[in-house]
Amino acid sequence: TMLTIAVLSILFGLNNAQSSSDCVYRQGGLELDLLAFKGKFLAYEEDNYQWTYTICSDSLSCVHNSNTVNAMVEGHAVGINECHYYGIYNESTQPFYDFAVASWIF
């Protein structure tokens, strides 16, 4: 759904200069450590559409229009063997902690 696309875009899209090391992000005294999740596959399905993503890696092989792309986020209609990639891992993308919503924003 559009809400899912918006959430994924926010989650993986914004760029902000903070201190980080491979999957460990720091802002001031706060730390977001995603290293234990690196490369794991997470999936979500709604309205006959399946989303799959991996954290801190491009572990998904996505074939679309006969082109293969290694992606971090992909989606496809259930039962269709062709995907659309929505995110590529970029180490330079840094999150920031938003105290108003008590969440890390990418």
Side-chain angles (χ1 to χ4, degrees):
T1 66
M2 290 307 293
L3 176 61
T4 304
I5 292 171
V7 168
L8 290 172
S9 295
I10 290 169
L11 198 64
F12 300 112
L14 299 177
N15 192 357
N16 191 1
Q18 307 293 331
S19 171
S20 81
S21 157
D22 194 28
C23 289
V24 179
Y25 305 97
R26 293 177 183 88
Q27 178 180 334
L30 301 174
E31 180 177 276
L32 174 62
D33 185 348
L34 300 175
L35 195 54
F37 299 102
K38 183 176 182 173
K40 295 193 187 285
F41 292 83
L42 303 169
Y44 174 75
E45 186 176 319
E46 181 178 296
D47 297 328
N48 278 335
Y49 202 82
Q50 183 175 23
W51 297 90
T52 307
Y53 63 99
T54 60
I55 296 175
C56 299
S57 69
D58 289 328
S59 298
L60 301 168
S61 181
C62 182
V63 178
H64 182 74
N65 292 332
S66 300
N67 294 317
T68 301
V69 174
N70 290 327
M72 182 177 66
V73 181
E74 72 87 14
H76 62 274
V78 173
I80 304 298
N81 195 22
E82 186 169 291
C83 70
H84 301 275
Y85 70 93
Y86 294 96
I88 303 290
Y89 179 59
N90 181 343
E91 287 183 25
S92 68
T93 299
Q94 301 296 307
F96 65 93
Y97 190 81
D98 186 337
F99 288 93
V101 292
S103 297
W104 288 89
I105 308 294
F106 281 80

